[in-house]
Amino acid sequence: DVVFHSGRAMTAEDVKFSYETAADPAFSAQLASIAAQFTSIETAGDTSLTIEFQNPIPNLNEFLNEVPVIDPETVGELESGTQVVGTGPYVFAEWNPGASYRLEKFADYRDDAYASLDAINYEVITNSTAAVSAARTGRADIVYSLATTDAQGFATDPNFVILDAGGTIYPVGFDVTVAPFDDARVRQAVMHAIDRDRINDQVFEGTGILTNLFWGPNSPGYSEELANAYPYDPERARELLDEAGVDEIDVEVIFMGTPIQNSRFEIFANNMAAVGINATAVQLDPPTFIQRQIDGDLGALFLAQHGQIGRGAVTLLNALPTLREGNPSKFWNEEYESLRNDLLLAVGDEAARDAVEALSQYMIDEAFVVSSIQAPQQLLVSSDLQGITLGAFGELFAETLYLTEG
């Protein structure tokens, strides 16, 4: 039987509550747009649930696979971060914001064959050199978000394994209500000032795809011309700043404190300095960054990241906090909403292709948030740690992990 960490048995009513909560805009669930299409959710006993909807939902399986079942009795504490109650093999035991959190084995987990580890400690290490050192010294068994160049240093080391863990979209975003970024020409200037090739070569070993679009090259309506709308052109960047009457800008740049984002920022800051933009780094720990992104509060300029490569344009449009209503760019108007709806309601491949092209053009012109590169995510794992299982988007399933005596 499945039980919550509180000891209470999970039932179909909990699933119903979780899906209804996911549809609530106040909860800011990534896949809320899918749940909003449910016309009714009914339970029959503790183990049966019926969902009805008026029209086919092509990305329904994404919702069913990814939306967690939450405990109605502690949902308030979940929102505040003071208590996390789930049904998995590990209990959320301790959280030091900006520094670390600890998971401990759940003694009443439903399957004794899983959860071989007594505890899992997660530490925030923002510096790439420090992350490499943590792996080399055995302080860390798993390292996320290493720059590809650093990960490749372990490629021939028998003590480590490098795994593909999905991929990440790396956008640059602006608060369009804050001067001078309320002028589209300034936003476009920033995008032209970014040397994407250098970022790809130095951070991702050339493995990334340079694209100014959120959707992948296999998406209907993907345009190579729009994907390269902002080539590296410092001279054009300075022209646009001159047209906007902007001479020099001092700005804080908010990003998630990971080795990759640190490396990305260093190049970004150098690029900005070359066109008269003085960028100061503001690093946030992952939980804080994610919450502020959901709240639409990432300051005047931010470097985002979304591990959503492989999703379709329809899902991305509503799943990504940087694109949906309440986004940290504070960009929302009738034209944008209309173009979004044209895509969300498109019937047939041709209509979807046309809608993607029209929306892409508008987003490129407005440049409120623009992808700079899509790159693979790599996971560095000690060979002492076995049972690694990753989901379609690089998520780690901890229940299968175990340590050898190596």
Side-chain angles (χ1 to χ4, degrees):
D1 293 337
V2 179
V3 297
F4 285 103
H5 297 149
S6 61
R8 184 177 65 82
M10 189 195 83
T11 70
E13 286 293 336
D14 297 310
V15 180
K16 177 183 179 181
F17 174 83
S18 301
Y19 290 177
E20 290 174 341
T21 300
D24 184 352
F27 204 72
S28 300
Q30 281 197 328
L31 300 180
S33 63
I34 299 176
Q37 298 177 63
F38 299 164
T39 55
S40 71
I41 304 176
E42 301 295 336
T43 61
D46 289 343
T47 59
S48 179
L49 185 80
T50 301
I51 302 173
E52 294 184 355
F53 34 90
Q54 290 184 333
N55 300 304
I57 303 177
N59 49 358
L60 176 63
N61 282 340
E62 292 185 22
F63 179 90
L64 299 178
N65 286 336
E66 297 181 38
V67 173
V69 177
I70 58 178
D71 176 23
E73 296 180 359
T74 57
V75 67
E77 290 82 356
L78 175 63
E79 290 186 82
S80 66
T82 57
Q83 187 177 12
V84 179
V85 174
T87 63
Y90 294 95
V91 177
F92 194 85
E94 183 180 320
W95 177 36
N96 297 308
S100 64
Y101 64 80
R102 178 179 174 85
L103 305 177
E104 295 180 352
K105 185 174 182 177
F106 179 37
D108 294 326
Y109 188 61
R110 56 188 174 272
D111 193 334
D112 292 336
Y114 294 111
S116 299
L117 304 178
D118 292 327
I120 299 174
N121 295 305
Y122 179 95
E123 294 186 16
V124 177
I125 302 176
T126 62
N127 180 273
S128 188
T129 301
V132 168
S133 176
R136 292 286 187 198
T137 60
R139 176 183 162 198
D141 296 296
I142 302 176
V143 180
Y144 273 100
S145 297
L146 265 186
T148 306
T149 50
D150 291 320
Q152 289 305 309
F154 294 86
T156 59
D157 190 329
N159 296 310
F160 296 93
V161 176
I162 300 173
L163 301 177
D164 290 329
T168 303
I169 306 165
Y170 292 96
V172 178
F174 312 85
D175 184 336
V176 301
T177 68
V178 176
F181 302 109
D182 55 344
D183 189 322
R185 292 171 296 185
V186 176
R187 304 193 294 268
Q188 293 166 0
V190 170
M191 297 311 303
H192 274 301
I194 301 172
D195 189 346
R196 298 183 297 166
D197 282 305
R198 183 180 171 194
I199 293 174
N200 191 26
D201 291 342
Q202 295 188 9
V203 180
F204 300 110
E205 284 280 305
T207 60
I209 298 173
L210 305 185
T211 176
N212 293 133
L213 300 176
F214 281 80
W215 5 102
N218 294 326
S219 176
Y222 183 89
S223 164
E224 286 291 344
E225 180 180 358
L226 293 178
N228 294 284
Y230 294 109
Y232 178 50
D233 191 344
E235 183 176 346
R236 178 57 180 154
R238 284 188 286 267
E239 289 175 355
L240 287 165
L241 291 173
D242 288 342
E243 290 175 15
V246 174
D247 182 29
E248 188 170 312
I249 301 172
D250 294 313
V251 63
E252 292 185 340
V253 181
I254 293 178
F255 58 92
M256 187 185 296
T258 67
I260 282 180
Q261 289 288 62
N262 264 290
S263 298
R264 180 187 175 202
F265 172 78
E266 289 177 5
I267 298 173
F268 177 86
N270 286 332
N271 291 160
M272 294 303 106
V275 297
I277 300 175
N278 303 310
T280 302
V282 178
Q283 300 181 46
L284 302 178
D285 66 278
T288 301
F289 181 92
I290 291 169
Q291 188 57 56
R292 286 186 57 172
Q293 182 173 244
I294 290 172
D295 293 340
D297 177 25
L298 288 180
L301 180 55
F302 54 90
L303 304 181
Q305 62 184 80
H306 302 302
Q308 307 279 347
I309 287 180
R311 294 189 188 280
V314 171
T315 299
L316 289 173
L317 204 56
N318 282 318
L320 301 187
T322 52
L323 297 182
R324 65 195 186 201
E325 189 172 8
N327 58 71
S329 296
K330 300 178 178 60
F331 185 89
W332 196 264
N333 57 39
E334 289 185 5
E335 186 171 4
Y336 180 49
E337 187 172 13
S338 176
L339 289 167
R340 286 169 51 93
N341 288 336
D342 287 345
L343 175 56
L344 296 175
L345 301 175
V347 177
D349 292 342
E350 183 176 356
R353 182 174 61 252
D354 291 345
V356 168
E357 289 179 354
L359 178 62
S360 298
Q361 182 68 68
Y362 182 73
M363 291 175 61
I364 288 295
D365 292 342
E366 293 296 330
F368 63 96
V369 61
V370 183
S371 169
S372 58
I373 190 170
Q374 296 184 12
Q377 175 91 348
Q378 292 187 315
L379 192 66
L380 180 66
V381 183
S382 165
S383 58
D384 291 338
L385 188 65
Q386 299 294 312
I388 299 287
T389 304
L390 300 176
F393 300 103
E395 60 273 31
L396 176 68
F397 297 108
E399 63 264 34
T400 57
L401 297 176
Y402 66 92
L403 284 168
T404 66
E405 296 182 2

